[in-house]
Each structure stands twice: as structure tokens, then as C-alpha cells.
DNA sequence: ATGGTCGCAAAGCGA
């Protein structure tokens, strides 16, 4: 079984690339973030024609998360318990979708960006992560053998090695101690980054800004992760980052992150 | 090459 996560940055503008990723990697499950559409706008036909089922939540042109699976779609949960809201009026955003696929509980997650340190969105990000951690800990407490993947765009570079230039990021979001502590909180709850051991080369990234020729200059960030519960981590036989997918016209600014399970 | 990012409910915002 092979699962993957990808911040697609608009599924409508990139559905051909989505189908290409599914086929090229023979994926059983693909989690998407930033679909940027409502449920009724999701281009479901090619997905279904290829033998996949689809779960999606999207309320407007922002955010939006999906799970595409050919090993079943069960127990769909939109958002987690006590997921923080944002805005005025405060609303629940389409940033978390839990689905059971072939016995694996996958969560497609799009962690709030934070915008700027000290911004209301930054506090929202930290709160969101803390609440996620509380819920994720409960899932494992309820069933220590649960196979759970918390996968998606975490908008955090957990270590200095995960950004192309630490100086560039001084004072910016994604690298601050509170964000890194929040990420570590999920790890401490029992979830392991199963991809890093297979992708440990220096300057291995999952995201490159569209501007400033960041991709050809290899100036990226590692901010997309698949964190797995112990029982699921024990099944991992390999992982990779599809850097090729970032190339060419019409690429997302993120690359797919893939995990092989026995 | 005096500019060099995308995407959207677009002329402004979010990433």
C-alpha cells in the first residue's frame, strides 16, 4: 500500500497533474491540501473514472482538504474535536479531514500559515496545533494499536536544516520556537516523521516559493510531513519526495510526499 | 531580461 500527501494549490487548475501523480506512483491513497474550491466544484469525474473514491471539504476559494482512495472511504470526519475557528465572524475552516482507508486512519491536514509572528493568525496556528495534539493523543490513548497518519502541509520547518537559509527566516513564521514546540508536541503524543529517515540528504525540501526562482536555486523548505502512529510507523518500508512534480509549467509550489507501507 | 509567482469568488488577498 502506498499513501501520499500533497499541497496541490488548487485542484481545479491541476487535476491533470493529480491524475498523473496517482498513476505514476500507483497510489492507493492521496491526501490533498489547498484544493481551493467548494465540494461541488471539485473535479471528481476523472478521479472516479480512475477507480478512486473521494472525500472533500471546501467552503470557498481558501483552504480545502481532500482524501482520494482506492482502498475505501469510511468514517469521514470534517475537522477534529474543538478545532479552533478563525475570522470575524469566527468560522470553522476546511483544514482537516479524517478518513479511514483500508484500515488506516488518514488525516489530510492544512495547518494555518500564521502570516506574521504576533499576527492573530499566528496565535490561531499555535492554538490549532495544540488542539490537534490533544485530540491526536486521545486517538492513541483510545487505541494504542491504531494506524493513524497525520499528513499534510504543516507550515513548520522543524529544524534549521529544513530551510534553505536560516538567516532569511529570522523573525519569520515557520521556524519560531513556539511553532517548533507545537510540532514537537505532536511527535511527543506518539507520532513519528516516517519520511525523513528515507530523505535525509541535506537540502531536501517539499516546498519552493514561486518567486525569486527558488526552485531552480534549490531554495526551499521542508514543511510537508506524514506523522505516523507507532503501529503505522512499524509498517513503513520506504518514503520519498517527488521533486520532479515541482518542475515545469503549471506545477504546485509543493511536491508530493510518499510513504510505502507493507 | 531594468523584470523574473501563482490562484481565486481577482483590480485585492492569501500563500
Amino acid at each position: 500500500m502506498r499513501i501520499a500527501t500533497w499541497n496541490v494549490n488548487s485542484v481545479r487548475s491541476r487535476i491533470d497533474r493529480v491524475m498523473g501523480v496517482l498513476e505514476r506512483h500507483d497510489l492507493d491513497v492521496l491526501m490533498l491540501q489547498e484544493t481551493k474550491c467548494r465540494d461541488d466544484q471539485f473535479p471528481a469525474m476523472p478521479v472516479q473514472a480512475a477507480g478512486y473514491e473521494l472525500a472533500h471539504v471546501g467552503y470557498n476559494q481558501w483552504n480545502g482538504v481532500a482524501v482520494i482512495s482506492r482502498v475505501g472511504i469510511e468514517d469521514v470526519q470534517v475537522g477534529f474535536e474543538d478545532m479552533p475557528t478563525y475570522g470575524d465572524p469566527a468560522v470553522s475552516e476546511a483544514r482537516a479531514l479524517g478518513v479511514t482507508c483500508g484500515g488506516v486512519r488518514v488525516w489530510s491536514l492544512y495547518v494555518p500559515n500564521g502570516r506574521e509572528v504576533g499576527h492573530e493568525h499566528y496565535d490561531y496556528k499555535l492554538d490549532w496545533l495544540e488542539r490537534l495534539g490533544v485530540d491526536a493523543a486521545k486517538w492513541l490513548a483510545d487505541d494504542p494499536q491504531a494506524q493513524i497518519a497525520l499528513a499534510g502541509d504543516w507550515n513548520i520547518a522543524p529544524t534549521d536544516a529544513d530551510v534553505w537559509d536560516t538567516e532569511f527566516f529570522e523573525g519569520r513564521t515557520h521556524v519560531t520556537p513556539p511553532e517548533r514546540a507545537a510540532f514537537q508536541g505532536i511527535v511527543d503524543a506518539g507520532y513519528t516523521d516516517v519520511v525523513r529517515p528515507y530523505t535525509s540528504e541535506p537540502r531536501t525540501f517539499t516546498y519552493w516559493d514561486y518567486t525569486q526562482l527558488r526552485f531552480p536555486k534549490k531554495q526551499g523548505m521542508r514543511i510537508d510531513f506524514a506523522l505516523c502512529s507507532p503501529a503505522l510507523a512499524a509498517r513503513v518500508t520506504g518514503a520519498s519526495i517527488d521533486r520532479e512534480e515541482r518542475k515545469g509549467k503549471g506545477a504546485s509550489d509543493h511536491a508530493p510526499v510518499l510513504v510505502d507501507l507493507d
Side-chain angles (χ1 to χ4, degrees), chain A residues 2 12 36-37 46 49 51-52 61 66 93 97 113 151 169 174 196 205 215 228 238 241 243 254:
Chain A
R2 180 175 288 153
R12 283 180 289 173
K36 290 187 169 175
C37 67
Y52 290 87
Q61 74 273 42
E93 298 187 309
L97 187 65
N113 173 285
F169 286 94
H174 293 58
R196 191 183 292 271
F205 303 128
F215 182 65
C228 294
I241 297 163
R243 193 177 176 282
H254 293 252

Side-chain angles (χ1 to χ4, degrees), chain A residues 106-128:
Chain A
V106 300
W107 279 91
S108 180
L109 302 172
Y110 179 44
V111 176
N113 173 285
R115 298 186 188 167
E116 291 173 26
V117 177
H119 193 285
E120 188 179 7
H121 207 260
Y122 178 82
D123 297 331
Y124 170 53
K125 178 180 194 174
L126 295 178
D127 191 27
W128 200 93

